[in-house]
Amino acid sequence: MIEFIRGLPKAELHLHIEGTLEPQMAFDLAKRNGVALPYANVEALTQAYNFSDLQSFLNLYYACMDVLRRSEDFADLASAYLQRAAADGVQHVEMFFDPQAHVNRGIPLRVVIEGLSSAASAARERYGISVLLIACFLRDRPATEAMSTLEALAEHRDAIHGVGLDSAELGHPPSDFAEVFAAAGEMGLHRVAHAGEEGPPDYIWQALDVLGVERVDHGIRAAEDPALLRRLAVDKIPLTVCPLSNVRLKCVENLSDHPLPALLDAGVVVTVNSDDPAYFGGYVVDNYVALQRAFDLDTATLEQLARNSLDASFRGDVRGS
Ligand code: ADE
Ligand code: ZN
């Protein structure tokens, strides 16, 4: 079954590149850059991957990012992920990154974008994989900061394909970012947002109706709202679902409680993704395999999920991809 899943042509549409920082690479980069990590060794860091909710994960995720200092660091991080993704049958990646998490600790935006873009070009040459960059705004930072970030991104317009919204969801509704998403739309950028991961179905409605998103990241709490399920199905708004993440962050208790079957039954376009694979115990194929085992998915459903990921991607915009 693993080989069947690996062989399915697929896209990964919900992947935070900073969330691919494996513990060993974190220590290697810490050494290279003379940065002290607040953990004694790889084992101690790995032991800390015992999250109680989204915020407990984000605290560690932002702390580990401190090892990313130079363009080479971002390039090495992205190259390691893309090599793995290509081996997993991923043909196309829409790669999230968090500009504010780097700029706010003194790393120029140019350094981040140059590193990621160079890894993307190398991976296209080596594996034929295509990569689009999506810059996510941190929703637990002020909307004014998101707007200045968008202005800074405008200077790298050619390298950026879309914008997203991530970080701590509860208490930070999408509507706070109406203006910045409207401005991004005027720049011709694609729009996506995390909504309904921990937050209520109303945040998904806001992402659709206020931010005008084309895809919803996670969106699992849509399963609580039949009218919302109908809206997603009728308008063919894809959800980028990340099952292992949902279990690790305790959005669902067990994988068997995951709303995937309800979403599929409602006719929603579901895609399978890894979110932050280094932290959540699996890359994209591991997520498919876990779902297959939990719900005894047949090969036609697995093929449909993989096809959905390619159909829901923005790659049709790019000539030759
Ligand atoms: N940033 C990285 N991973 C995230 C997630 N699962 N939810 C919100 N923000 C994130
Ligand atoms: Zn995410």
Side-chain angles (χ1 to χ4, degrees), residues 14-16 18-19 54 57-58 61-62 65 96 98 136 138-139 165-169 194 197 218 242 245-246 249 251 275-276 280:
H14 185 161
L15 180 278
H16 302 263
E18 298 91 343
L54 174 58
F57 154 68
L58 290 170
Y61 167 81
Y62 292 127
M65 271 183 213
F96 294 162
D98 288 330
C136 293
L138 301 185
R139 68 199 311 155
L165 186 66
D166 67 2
S167 204
E169 186 179 14
H194 284 52
E197 178 185 17
H218 295 293
C242 308
S245 162
N246 298 151
L249 300 188
C251 299
D275 204 6
D276 300 285
F280 299 150

Side-chain angles (χ1 to χ4, degrees), residues 9-147:
K10 60 183 84 60
E12 180 145 52
L13 306 179
H14 185 161
L15 180 278
H16 302 263
I17 195 59
E18 298 91 343
T20 68
L21 182 62
E22 293 285 350
Q24 185 60 57
M25 185 180 256
F27 275 91
D28 292 347
L29 291 178
K31 189 165 173 206
R32 182 156 107 181
N33 291 327
V35 176
L37 276 169
Y39 297 91
N41 51 38
V42 167
E43 288 71 37
L45 174 56
T46 313
Q47 298 262 308
Y49 290 11
N50 192 2
F51 310 116
S52 50
D53 57 11
L54 174 58
Q55 187 64 60
S56 65
F57 154 68
L58 290 170
N59 296 341
L60 182 65
Y61 167 81
Y62 292 127
C64 286
M65 271 183 213
D66 196 31
V67 304
L68 300 167
R69 299 284 175 102
R70 301 175 307 155
S71 274
E72 293 89 313
D73 305 334
F74 289 92
D76 289 351
L77 179 71
S79 293
Y81 162 72
L82 289 166
Q83 178 177 15
R84 231 180 141 143
D88 267 358
V90 175
Q91 297 185 340
H92 175 75
V93 180
E94 301 196 351
M95 184 181 281
F96 294 162
F97 71 108
D98 288 330
Q100 289 152 280
H102 308 302
V103 170
N104 291 355
R105 58 186 177 87
I107 311 298
L109 184 58
R110 177 188 46 76
V111 163
V112 181
I113 293 177
E114 276 179 10
L116 298 180
S117 300
S118 79
S121 316
R124 177 186 277 280
E125 293 261 306
R126 264 183 225 140
Y127 318 116
I129 194 168
S130 52
V131 182
L132 298 175
L133 293 183
I134 297 187
C136 293
F137 303 117
L138 301 185
R139 68 199 311 155
D140 49 356
R141 303 283 310 161
T144 47
E145 190 178 290
M147 194 59 101

Side-chain angles (χ1 to χ4, degrees), residues 296-316:
D296 195 23
L297 300 180
D298 59 20
T299 54
T301 306
L302 294 166
E303 281 167 346
Q304 185 64 55
L305 288 168
R307 202 171 319 115
N308 286 350
S309 68
L310 292 165
D311 293 347
S313 77
F314 301 135
R315 71 178 184 161

